[in-house]
Amino acid sequence: MEIFSIAVLIFLVIDPFGNIAIFLSALSGVPAARRTKVILRELLFALVLLLLFLTFGEHILTALGLSREAISIAGGIILFVVAMRLIFPSKEGLFGDSPDGEPMLVPLATPAVAGPSALAILMTLRNTHEGPVWELYAGLGLAWFGCALILLQAATLHRLLGPRGLTACERLMGMLLIMLSVDMLLDSFKSALHLG
């Protein structure tokens, strides 16, 4: 994968448009003057978590003795499940209810931004990516920056797009994610068949 395609994949998994409602709900009790600072703090926490999993996730998977094909197939399945939840959301939303008051780490940094799906995809990419490692870090940086721009403008985007517009963006991201997950699964199955 090139840097841009890595960034797009991570961006779609993080789903910043879907997280706008979560951010607005979690920050409803926070004074308006502090909201930008809180969002920045939570985004930085999320970036640290994502970098930790990208850096050390490979060692975890290697220690478990998992093959590249198994990891890639598992990543494709996770992407598919996340995409289905984006297209057909449950009543409690993608990450469940948010607590009141000023959030700290949960639920904004994790699981909203650095959720299990994003962390699993980073470990999968680290273990299956055949290019230089810096491409993964560059892709993650681009994806995080794009998500940060959107989430820092959460209130403005909510006013401009409205609930229906945000839902449409989220469903579109879900459709793109399904295509990416199916492509990842097909490549993994082909690779596994060649080895077998």
Side-chain angles (χ1 to χ4, degrees):
M1 284 187 183
E2 297 176 355
I3 294 169
F4 181 73
S5 58
I6 292 168
V8 168
L9 176 59
I10 297 169
F11 180 87
L12 290 173
V13 172
I14 292 175
D15 180 29
F17 289 105
N19 284 334
I20 285 175
I22 296 167
F23 269 65
L24 292 176
S25 172
L27 295 171
S28 60
V30 177
R34 275 198 53 78
R35 284 181 192 161
T36 302
K37 290 178 182 176
V38 172
I39 291 172
L40 276 173
R41 183 190 69 205
E42 296 302 305
L43 286 168
L44 288 171
F45 282 156
L47 180 61
V48 169
L49 282 170
L50 293 166
L51 286 170
L52 281 172
F53 269 78
L54 181 57
T55 304
F56 299 109
E58 180 187 16
H59 303 297
I60 296 168
L61 296 175
T62 304
L64 294 172
L66 298 171
S67 69
R68 281 187 169 214
E69 289 70 31
I71 294 163
S72 190
I73 289 169
I77 292 169
I78 290 168
L79 280 182
F80 189 83
V81 170
V82 170
M84 291 300 288
R85 291 186 72 183
L86 288 175
I87 297 170
F88 305 106
S90 58
K91 288 181 181 178
E92 64 272 11
L94 194 59
F95 301 109
D97 295 326
S98 299
D100 294 330
E102 184 173 314
M104 182 67 154
L105 198 61
V106 177
L108 301 184
T110 184
V113 178
S117 304
L119 300 177
I121 290 305
L122 287 175
M123 288 195 296
T124 303
L125 286 171
R126 180 64 191 260
N127 212 276
T128 57
H129 183 65
E130 294 176 357
V133 177
W134 67 265
E135 289 182 352
L136 295 174
Y137 287 97
L140 173 58
L142 279 175
W144 179 85
F145 185 72
C147 291
L149 285 179
I150 289 169
L151 292 171
L152 284 168
Q153 301 301 320
T156 306
L157 284 170
H158 191 266
R159 281 195 303 271
L160 288 174
L161 298 174
R164 287 188 181 186
L166 290 172
T167 300
C169 288
E170 195 170 354
R171 302 276 163 86
L172 178 61
M173 291 174 79
M175 289 298 296
L176 292 171
L177 207 51
I178 279 186
M179 289 184 271
L180 286 168
S181 68
V182 170
D183 186 57
M184 183 183 282
L185 284 169
L186 287 174
D187 287 344
S188 303
F189 286 134
K190 284 177 189 172
S191 179
L193 287 172
H194 285 304
L195 288 175

